[in-house]
Amino acid sequence: MYRLSFTIFLIIIYSANCFAQFTPPGLGDTNDASWFALGLKQKLNSSGTVVLASHIGLGRISDPDNYNLVQNPSIYVVNEEISNHFKKHWKYSGALSYRWQNEYETTEPYELDSENARQEIRMYGRIFYLDSFKNIDYSISFRPEMRFFYDRNFDPYTEDRQFRSRFRGKMAFSLNQLKTHKLITSAEFLFSTTREDKWSKFEYKEARFSLYYAITAPKLNTTFNFGYMNNLLGKADLKDVHYLAFDIEIKNLF
């Protein structure tokens, strides 16, 4: 009864939302965005409890006055994460990520502002609680991360670092007996503090809600994820950004 009540509670919270294998990064205050990633998940031990997940990704954004979600290259991402499923319901991971993010002029014709491009080195860890109920797999995770920002010459950016905490709930609904078709939902809430001369107040900044459809091709050991993410920025004066995303995950290539 407890597990059923908990599952219903999660469904109520996350029913309109979702999560992909290689989730889109937040691309800031824009109208629309798109995300593509290609990734590899490789087992590192015979039991499959230790896994290396690597991916590269590209995000694009619209101009402020239109909704062309593939108009401008915005971010390039290289990410490495290693995880250990050390108990039945528990998993932890650590990761290192490099990102290059373009900046654009705020007035027409919104040209590339190459002088203000930003580089980022990110380190983070995650702890997961995982469980299942019938054809539903669900997890709750906490992710603290440290972000270091640099300009195009690798000198410290104006806001040179940020500490951020992320809380996420995720559910995956299997749509067939082989579990090759899934509907995946997630909700994530982000809190952060940023340093510019001194540290700002640690507070809520944004939320991300997604809905994905995942198709696995067993003979190829590959999963294709198609989805939508809504990024809600701010608190009182909300700004929402719409993302379309597609990623390909190849498993155990080696």
Side-chain angles (χ1 to χ4, degrees):
M1 186 65 184
Y2 167 78
R3 293 180 66 183
L4 177 59
S5 299
F6 184 62
T7 301
I8 293 172
F9 173 72
L10 286 175
I11 291 172
I12 292 171
I13 294 178
Y14 306 126
S15 59
N17 315 305
C18 129
F19 173 74
Q21 296 298 330
F22 302 108
T23 183
L27 298 179
D29 188 356
T30 185
N31 294 323
D32 287 327
S34 59
W35 166 251
F36 170 74
L38 176 62
L40 170 67
K41 283 193 172 181
Q42 181 69 44
K43 294 179 182 179
L44 299 182
N45 61 352
S46 58
S47 63
T49 56
V50 180
V51 175
L52 176 66
S54 309
H55 75 267
I56 56 175
L58 167 65
R60 303 179 72 96
I61 60 174
S62 66
D63 276 344
D65 61 354
N66 65 36
Y67 290 86
N68 183 353
L69 49 77
V70 297
Q71 183 159 2
N72 300 311
S74 177
I75 196 169
Y76 305 90
V77 177
V78 180
N79 203 89
E80 296 282 346
E81 182 172 359
I82 188 168
S83 63
N84 181 12
H85 197 159
F86 65 101
K87 287 187 178 292
K88 179 180 178 181
H89 296 299
W90 293 96
K91 181 172 75 170
Y92 67 84
S93 68
L96 181 65
S97 181
Y98 169 78
R99 297 154 191 246
W100 175 285
Q101 189 159 6
N102 290 328
E103 295 290 337
Y104 291 88
E105 300 287 352
T106 57
T107 57
E108 290 188 278
Y110 310 115
E111 293 181 345
L112 179 66
D113 183 6
S114 58
E115 290 299 318
N116 286 315
R118 188 177 76 177
Q119 300 185 79
E120 177 188 344
I121 294 177
R122 178 182 302 186
M123 296 178 289
Y124 65 86
R126 284 200 275 192
I127 184 73
F128 301 80
Y129 175 79
L130 311 126
D131 207 344
S132 61
F133 177 75
K134 294 187 177 180
N135 66 329
I136 302 171
D137 296 320
Y138 59 87
S139 68
I140 299 172
S141 65
F142 169 64
R143 170 175 158 174
E145 58 187 26
M146 195 70 196
R147 310 170 70 192
F148 300 90
F149 304 118
Y150 304 91
D151 65 16
R152 62 198 303 268
N153 300 313
F154 249 111
D155 293 320
Y157 211 70
T158 306
E159 296 179 335
D160 66 342
R161 63 193 61 184
Q162 181 185 82
F163 174 74
R164 187 162 69 176
S165 293
R166 303 161 66 142
F167 301 88
R168 188 186 72 200
K170 172 185 173 183
M171 300 181 71
F173 301 82
S174 296
L175 303 179
N176 64 343
Q177 193 170 8
L178 295 176
K179 297 187 176 181
T180 56
H181 292 256
K182 292 184 178 182
L183 201 62
I184 307 172
T185 70
S186 76
E188 187 171 39
F189 303 92
L190 293 82
F191 302 78
S192 65
T193 174
T194 305
R195 189 179 79 169
E196 182 182 359
D197 297 326
K198 63 180 182 178
W199 289 95
S200 65
K201 182 180 177 181
F202 183 76
E203 59 184 351
Y204 166 81
K205 293 293 185 179
E206 60 181 286
R208 299 173 185 175
F209 307 101
S210 311
L211 177 62
Y212 272 77
Y213 186 74
I215 303 172
T216 298
K219 292 183 179 180
L220 299 176
N221 281 337
T222 301
T223 299
F224 303 91
N225 297 291
F226 308 84
Y228 165 78
M229 185 175 83
N230 181 249
N231 189 191
L232 285 178
L233 304 171
K235 292 180 287 187
D237 186 17
L238 285 176
K239 167 72 176 181
D240 66 317
V241 183
H242 307 281
Y243 291 70
L244 285 182
F246 171 56
D247 65 74
I248 302 172
E249 175 198 305
I250 303 169
K251 297 179 181 178
N252 303 312
L253 185 62
F254 304 105

